[in-house]
Amino acid sequence: MGDTYENQPPEKLQGKYQAMVVCCILGIGSLVAWNSMLTIADYYYQVFPDYHPSRVLTLVYQPFALGTIVILTYHESKMNTRKRNLIGYTLFTISTFLLIVLDLATKGRGGVGPYIGLCAVVASFGLADATVQGGMIGDLSLMCPELVQSFMVGLAVAGALTSALRLTTKAAFEKSNDGLRKGAMIFLAISTFIELLCVLLYAYVFPKLPIVKYYRRKAASEGSKTVSADLAAAGIQNPSDLTDDDSKNQRLSNKELLLQNIDYAVNLFLIYVCTLSIFPGFLYENTGKHGLGDWYALVLVAMYNCWDLVGRYTPLLKWLKFENRKLITIAVLSRYLLIPAFYFTAKYGDQGYMIMLISVLGLTNGHLTVCIMTIAPKGYKGPEQNALGNLLVIFLLGGIFAGVALDWLWLIGKKDAF
């Protein structure tokens, strides 16, 4: 059957707001498992006190994520995006559930064996993250900017949600036996449910929304091969609509796309180098003792996540959205002044100043990420937008990896650091 919406201009299509909500949930699902790991780090510090969990687990996670996204981006134009994203969300679901199984099997005890098992599950998170983030951002880049922004907002909602739940569970179980462990298990159970929900939403709901069908038909007409399975899932099985005109199928190569957008790519890299060199390892291990006690690191992580979420909405205000490429570069480089500010605040400052700094770090991280991700794909054809989305995710994950590695430098000169 023909779709009554597929030939209408996008602003008249039904399903835009439903698509934005689904994209937000899919964004939550692509990061909620990893954010749960970071947020329950205080539990892992109790179980593995000598192994620097927040730093080591992040360092295990990132090489797998970066290596996977490089390989997938190289083959991006020939990949089945539907299968890629479903595999990613399914892997997230299984891996998060395995964390619960691992903890129950070891009865919450530490040691080298359980820690290696934990690292293996975290490595699978890295594989799933690269599979989903590159696939989803590439797919949404060929649609309207609001869907990309909604997905990016979902990434921040995952952080804010896990922080709120962590503070709640810590308060609820603080005086009970195994309080940290009970809170961690609740966290992982909720994360597993969200991942399963994402599998179902992406498989059965998202491809059937009229606005999604419109943009995928448009991308197919411009030569995209990655959307064929999604169109079939939406009940659009008319391959005659997919053009064989070579003039329409021509697209810029990945190298040409990267050269045209190298400033956006490098800026994304620098944003996440700065952020991850501070968050989360520095917050857990280098901020000293304060009046909030063992709540201090959790409050700092929660403030970062909340302001990162706010920052991903601020580009909706036209006068706040950076569209000038030089202005974006200046803003990105200016964030590096935060590094000495954090150092001196941790050494001499009060907790109020630290909370203010972490709020600025989160706000600028969210704002600049959304500005770049929504502006960069404009003006390209569908296949090029998909490829560019994947290329930008490579630099984003590369920045996270570099930031995590540099985060270890904070331990220089610290007693009993290793």
Side-chain angles (χ1 to χ4, degrees):
M1 288 180 67
D3 191 303
T4 55
Y5 307 110
E6 47 194 46
N7 295 316
Q8 296 181 30
E11 62 270 13
K12 292 184 180 178
L13 289 170
Q14 295 181 13
K16 179 177 179 179
Y17 292 107
Q18 293 96 312
M20 289 171 68
V21 171
V22 172
C23 286
C24 185
I25 296 171
L26 292 173
I28 293 170
S30 73
L31 209 53
V32 72
W34 176 238
N35 264 329
S36 293
M37 288 289 296
L38 293 182
T39 312
I40 61 174
D42 54 343
Y43 169 62
Y44 287 123
Y45 271 100
Q46 183 187 76
V47 180
F48 308 106
D50 300 322
Y51 299 140
H52 304 286
S54 71
R55 286 188 160 106
V56 171
L57 295 179
T58 311
L59 201 57
V60 169
Y61 176 90
Q62 292 306 327
F64 284 92
L66 186 58
T68 304
I69 189 63
V70 169
I71 294 168
L72 293 177
T73 300
Y74 182 77
H75 298 287
E76 156 277 322
S77 62
K78 300 173 186 176
M79 293 201 70
N80 180 329
T81 302
R82 178 177 173 79
K83 186 181 292 184
R84 171 180 174 174
N85 289 334
L86 285 174
I87 288 172
Y89 281 118
T90 304
L91 184 56
F92 265 134
T93 307
I94 294 169
S95 300
T96 312
F97 183 69
L98 282 178
L99 283 177
I100 300 175
V101 173
L102 177 66
D103 191 85
L104 293 175
T106 60
K107 298 180 180 178
R109 297 193 187 100
V112 175
Y115 196 63
I116 291 172
L118 181 64
C119 289
V121 174
V122 166
S124 70
F125 279 166
L127 296 175
D129 181 29
T131 305
V132 166
Q133 278 212 52
M136 285 301 303
I137 290 175
D139 198 19
L140 297 176
S141 292
L142 55 83
M143 302 183 197
C144 59
E146 290 88 343
L147 298 188
V148 178
Q149 180 169 14
S150 295
F151 183 81
M152 301 305 292
V153 164
L155 301 181
V157 170
L161 179 65
T162 51
S163 286
L165 284 171
R166 187 70 197 99
L167 293 172
T168 304
T169 54
K170 183 172 175 61
F173 296 118
E174 190 169 25
K175 295 181 181 178
S176 66
N177 293 330
D178 274 347
L180 277 177
R181 187 183 180 210
K182 290 173 184 174
M185 291 303 99
I186 289 174
F187 249 84
L188 296 174
I190 292 171
S191 297
T192 305
F193 171 75
I194 292 173
E195 300 298 357
L196 182 59
L197 177 64
C198 287
V199 173
L200 299 175
L201 282 176
Y202 189 81
Y204 300 111
V205 177
F206 188 65
K208 296 180 180 178
L209 295 171
I211 191 168
V212 174
K213 288 195 268 188
Y214 169 84
Y215 279 111
R216 283 176 171 163
R217 287 289 301 273
K218 182 171 178 287
S221 71
E222 294 170 343
S224 176
K225 302 290 191 293
T226 62
V227 296
S228 301
D230 291 295
L231 287 174
I236 304 173
Q237 297 178 331
N238 43 355
S240 60
D241 286 352
L242 304 184
T243 178
D244 291 323
D245 185 348
D246 288 338
S247 65
K248 288 186 178 181
N249 287 342
Q250 288 178 354
R251 49 154 282 189
L252 295 173
S253 68
N254 285 358
K255 183 179 179 181
E256 290 170 322
L257 283 169
L258 183 57
L259 288 174
Q260 289 182 14
N261 295 276
I262 192 66
D263 57 329
Y264 288 137
V266 171
N267 281 333
L268 261 183
F269 177 84
L270 292 175
I271 287 169
Y272 284 86
V273 168
C274 180
T275 299
L276 271 293
S277 65
I278 297 166
F279 176 89
F282 176 84
L283 304 184
Y284 276 105
E285 297 188 20
N286 296 84
T287 49
K289 303 291 183 183
H290 293 275
L292 288 170
D294 58 358
W295 285 79
Y296 187 47
L298 293 180
V299 170
L300 292 177
V301 170
M303 291 304 296
Y304 169 84
N305 285 324
C306 289
W307 282 101
D308 183 39
L309 174 58
V310 171
R312 291 174 193 243
Y313 276 113
T314 49
L316 290 173
L317 302 172
K318 296 293 183 185
W319 57 279
L320 280 177
K321 187 173 184 179
F322 296 165
E323 297 194 348
N324 183 291
R325 297 169 88 137
K326 289 182 179 177
L327 187 59
I328 290 174
T329 301
I330 292 169
V332 168
L333 295 176
S334 299
R335 295 180 81 238
Y336 280 80
L337 294 172
L338 290 170
I339 293 176
F342 271 98
Y343 173 78
F344 287 111
T345 303
K347 200 166 186 178
Y348 306 110
D350 188 75
Q351 58 194 26
Y353 291 109
M354 185 64 77
I355 290 172
M356 181 189 73
L357 282 177
I358 199 69
S359 301
V360 172
L361 183 75
L363 181 68
T364 53
N365 183 83
H367 184 83
L368 291 169
T369 299
V370 168
C371 285
I372 291 172
M373 286 295 195
T374 54
I375 294 167
K378 287 183 178 178
Y380 292 103
K381 293 192 294 186
E384 295 165 344
Q385 290 172 324
N386 188 17
L388 181 56
N390 277 272
L391 288 168
L392 291 177
V393 173
I394 287 181
F395 280 82
L396 187 153
L397 293 177
I400 292 175
F401 182 44
V404 167
L406 291 171
D407 182 48
W408 285 82
L409 295 177
W410 291 107
L411 295 179
I412 294 174
K414 186 181 177 184
K415 291 181 181 179
D416 301 321
F418 302 98

